[in-house]
Short mmCIF file of all heavy atoms in Angstrom, two decimals:
data_model
loop_
_atom_site.label_atom_id
_atom_site.label_comp_id
_atom_site.label_asym_id
_atom_site.label_seq_id
_atom_site.Cartn_x
_atom_site.Cartn_y
_atom_site.Cartn_z
N LEU J 167 73.62 101.47 112.56
CA LEU J 167 73.08 102.52 111.63
C LEU J 167 74.21 103.42 111.10
O LEU J 167 74.17 103.84 109.95
CB LEU J 167 72.03 103.34 112.37
CG LEU J 167 70.71 102.64 112.71
CD1 LEU J 167 69.83 103.59 113.48
CD2 LEU J 167 70.02 102.12 111.46
N ALA J 168 75.20 103.71 111.98
CA ALA J 168 76.30 104.58 111.53
C ALA J 168 77.05 104.01 110.38
O ALA J 168 77.31 104.72 109.33
CB ALA J 168 77.23 104.84 112.72
N VAL J 169 77.44 102.73 110.47
CA VAL J 169 78.26 102.12 109.41
C VAL J 169 77.40 101.89 108.16
O VAL J 169 77.82 102.08 107.04
CB VAL J 169 78.93 100.83 109.95
CG1 VAL J 169 79.58 100.05 108.76
CG2 VAL J 169 79.93 101.16 111.00
N ALA J 170 76.15 101.37 108.38
CA ALA J 170 75.30 101.12 107.22
C ALA J 170 74.98 102.40 106.43
O ALA J 170 75.07 102.44 105.22
CB ALA J 170 73.98 100.45 107.68
N ALA J 171 74.65 103.49 107.16
CA ALA J 171 74.31 104.73 106.48
C ALA J 171 75.55 105.35 105.87
O ALA J 171 75.50 105.92 104.74
CB ALA J 171 73.73 105.73 107.46
N PHE J 172 76.68 105.28 106.57
CA PHE J 172 77.92 105.76 105.95
C PHE J 172 78.25 105.01 104.66
O PHE J 172 78.68 105.60 103.67
CB PHE J 172 79.08 105.65 106.92
CG PHE J 172 80.45 105.95 106.27
CD1 PHE J 172 80.86 107.27 106.08
CD2 PHE J 172 81.25 104.92 105.81
CE1 PHE J 172 82.07 107.54 105.45
CE2 PHE J 172 82.48 105.18 105.23
CZ PHE J 172 82.91 106.53 105.01
N ALA J 173 78.04 103.69 104.67
CA ALA J 173 78.31 102.90 103.49
C ALA J 173 77.49 103.34 102.30
O ALA J 173 77.91 103.35 101.15
CB ALA J 173 78.14 101.39 103.83
N LEU J 174 76.25 103.69 102.53
CA LEU J 174 75.36 104.16 101.50
C LEU J 174 75.88 105.44 100.92
O LEU J 174 75.97 105.62 99.71
CB LEU J 174 73.92 104.33 102.02
CG LEU J 174 73.06 103.11 102.17
CD1 LEU J 174 71.77 103.46 102.81
CD2 LEU J 174 72.84 102.44 100.84
N ALA J 175 76.23 106.44 101.73
CA ALA J 175 76.79 107.66 101.28
C ALA J 175 78.09 107.48 100.59
O ALA J 175 78.37 108.07 99.48
CB ALA J 175 76.94 108.68 102.45
N HIS J 176 78.92 106.60 101.11
CA HIS J 176 80.23 106.35 100.56
C HIS J 176 80.10 105.71 99.13
O HIS J 176 80.83 106.01 98.24
CB HIS J 176 81.01 105.39 101.49
CG HIS J 176 82.49 105.40 101.26
ND1 HIS J 176 83.24 106.47 100.82
CD2 HIS J 176 83.36 104.36 101.46
CE1 HIS J 176 84.50 106.13 100.72
NE2 HIS J 176 84.62 104.86 101.10
N ALA J 177 79.13 104.80 99.01
CA ALA J 177 78.91 104.13 97.75
C ALA J 177 78.39 105.16 96.70
O ALA J 177 78.80 105.06 95.53
CB ALA J 177 77.82 103.04 97.92
N LEU J 178 77.53 106.06 97.06
CA LEU J 178 77.04 107.10 96.11
C LEU J 178 78.21 107.96 95.67
O LEU J 178 78.35 108.28 94.48
CB LEU J 178 75.98 107.93 96.77
CG LEU J 178 74.59 107.22 97.03
CD1 LEU J 178 73.74 108.10 97.87
CD2 LEU J 178 73.96 106.88 95.73
N ALA J 179 79.05 108.36 96.56
CA ALA J 179 80.29 109.13 96.19
C ALA J 179 81.17 108.35 95.25
O ALA J 179 81.74 108.86 94.33
CB ALA J 179 81.06 109.61 97.48
N PHE J 180 81.32 107.04 95.60
CA PHE J 180 82.14 106.14 94.77
C PHE J 180 81.57 105.97 93.37
O PHE J 180 82.34 106.05 92.36
CB PHE J 180 82.28 104.80 95.49
CG PHE J 180 82.99 103.75 94.64
CD1 PHE J 180 84.33 103.80 94.46
CD2 PHE J 180 82.26 102.70 94.04
CE1 PHE J 180 85.00 102.82 93.72
CE2 PHE J 180 82.91 101.74 93.26
CZ PHE J 180 84.26 101.80 93.11
N LEU J 181 80.26 105.76 93.27
CA LEU J 181 79.60 105.58 91.97
C LEU J 181 79.69 106.88 91.15
O LEU J 181 79.91 106.80 89.91
CB LEU J 181 78.16 105.21 92.15
CG LEU J 181 77.89 103.81 92.69
CD1 LEU J 181 76.41 103.60 92.92
CD2 LEU J 181 78.40 102.75 91.75
N ALA J 182 79.57 108.04 91.76
CA ALA J 182 79.80 109.30 90.99
C ALA J 182 81.20 109.40 90.49
O ALA J 182 81.39 110.03 89.43
CB ALA J 182 79.47 110.48 91.94
N LEU J 183 82.14 108.81 91.14
CA LEU J 183 83.56 108.85 90.70
C LEU J 183 83.90 107.81 89.72
O LEU J 183 84.67 107.97 88.79
CB LEU J 183 84.44 108.68 91.95
CG LEU J 183 85.97 108.63 91.72
CD1 LEU J 183 86.50 109.93 91.16
CD2 LEU J 183 86.69 108.29 93.05
N LYS J 184 83.19 106.58 89.85
CA LYS J 184 83.60 105.41 89.09
C LYS J 184 82.76 105.10 87.87
O LYS J 184 83.12 104.29 87.05
CB LYS J 184 83.63 104.18 90.05
CG LYS J 184 84.26 102.95 89.48
CD LYS J 184 85.80 103.17 89.39
CE LYS J 184 86.52 101.87 89.04
NZ LYS J 184 86.18 101.40 87.66
N THR J 185 81.59 105.73 87.70
CA THR J 185 80.70 105.47 86.59
C THR J 185 80.62 106.71 85.71
O THR J 185 81.09 107.75 86.01
CB THR J 185 79.31 105.06 87.14
OG1 THR J 185 78.70 106.15 87.78
CG2 THR J 185 79.38 103.85 87.99
N ASP J 186 79.96 106.50 84.63
CA ASP J 186 79.68 107.58 83.67
C ASP J 186 78.23 107.46 83.14
O ASP J 186 77.60 106.41 83.31
CB ASP J 186 80.65 107.54 82.49
CG ASP J 186 80.94 108.94 81.95
OD1 ASP J 186 80.20 109.85 82.30
OD2 ASP J 186 81.90 109.10 81.14
#
Side-chain angles (χ1 to χ4, degrees):
L167 291 176
V169 172
F172 171 80
L174 282 174
H176 199 33
L178 291 170
F180 173 75
L181 290 175
L183 176 65
K184 192 69 173 66
T185 63
D186 210 348

